[in-house]
Amino acid sequence: GAARPLAGRRVLVTSGPTHEPIDPVRYLANRSSGRQGHAIAEAAARAGAIVTLVSGPVTIPDPPRVTVVRVETAREMLAAVEAALPADIAVFAAAVADWRPEHEAGTKKIKKDGSGPALLPLAENPDILATIARRPSGRPPLVVGFAAETDAVLDHARAKIARKGCDLIVANDVSAEGGVMGGVANAVHLIRPDGAVESWPRLGKDEVARRLVQHLAGMLGG
Ligand code: C5P
């Protein structure tokens, strides 16, 4: 029915930051709260979907009626996403760390040795969204990415949709003035592969989630 447009559909959502260990007590991370991704998972469940939420470390509660898989690193997130497939819709809302410390964290804390700050060699993390969107088989019919930008939001998002191979990009401005990162409201633009843009007003993250789920149900048809 109209209230449960995703009844019986499988939806996969990633959310939160990732933590990339430097040593046993330190990590690289970012300011993502997980609020937008968690709200999307909750809205999809309300719309009738069977939802798996793969979440990095967050302090917000698990959404009701959602299977939550907790991970720390980008590589763990990719493995959990692959294990959660197949899905009809995959929404990649996590703020995955682009880089991780190249060397495994080990069990010993890195010490100051008096010779000044150490170099921290980094290795590139897998791009989870691009990996799934470009899968030769078992690609979810609807793959959605996010683009958190601080400038030229639409230009960067248009380039991203082509590069990643997804079906929709939800772009938002996370420059400091907007208070989006860690905040409760969001102003998003939906960008399609042909470059067409639909801009929504500033809304609560729960309302963005609700509208996005309705939009995705429409794209999926049914
Ligand atoms: O390239 P950028 O990080 O700006 O792309 C953002 C989009 O890609 C988001 O949907 C994010 O969840 C996804 N992403 C990912 N794995 C990465 C980096 C980004 O899934 N390693």
Side-chain angles (χ1 to χ4, degrees):
R4 295 172 71 81
L6 291 179
R9 301 287 202 172
R10 292 176 59 97
V11 175
L12 169 65
V13 182
T14 70
S15 186
T18 63
H19 284 184
E20 309 293 336
I22 297 169
D23 69 14
V25 297
R26 305 184 177 100
Y27 55 81
L28 293 181
N30 61 65
R31 299 185 190 280
S32 169
S33 66
R35 281 200 185 95
Q36 188 63 80
H38 278 53
I40 292 164
E42 179 163 357
R46 278 186 205 283
I50 301 149
V51 182
T52 302
L53 173 64
V54 179
S55 177
V58 297
T59 58
I60 59 175
D62 289 353
R65 290 179 295 279
V66 165
T67 301
V68 181
V69 181
R70 295 180 163 280
V71 298
E72 292 266 334
T73 68
R75 290 186 292 176
E76 288 167 11
M77 186 172 277
L78 175 59
V81 163
E82 287 178 328
L85 292 177
D88 298 294
I89 303 175
V91 180
F92 294 90
V96 182
D98 290 324
W99 307 93
R100 67 175 180 273
E102 184 179 351
H103 303 294
E104 295 293 322
T107 55
K108 285 212 177 88
K109 184 180 167 189
I110 299 168
K111 295 292 188 190
K112 284 185 284 197
D113 67 359
S115 66
L119 286 177
L120 183 63
L122 301 177
E124 200 166 343
N125 267 331
D127 189 315
I128 302 165
L129 166 60
T131 302
I132 300 305
R134 300 206 178 282
R135 242 173 176 238
S137 71
R139 180 196 191 275
L142 197 42
V143 176
V144 182
F146 270 70
E149 308 288 354
T150 52
D151 60 282
V153 175
L154 295 183
D155 287 346
H156 285 136
R158 285 200 184 94
K160 194 161 294 179
I161 196 166
R163 197 166 68 238
K164 305 248 185 186
C166 54
D167 305 299
L168 189 73
I169 286 269
V170 182
N172 55 7
D173 185 340
V174 293
S175 55
E177 310 87 76
V180 168
M181 206 90 174
V184 296
N186 209 350
V188 305
H189 313 271
L190 304 193
I191 291 111
R192 297 198 319 224
D194 66 4
V197 177
E198 183 176 319
S199 297
W200 293 354
R202 188 177 168 84
L203 300 165
K205 288 180 178 177
D206 289 338
E207 181 63 11
V208 169
R210 210 184 56 74
R211 292 191 190 199
L212 181 63
V213 161
Q214 296 297 317
H215 189 92
L216 297 178
M219 283 178 78
L220 208 55

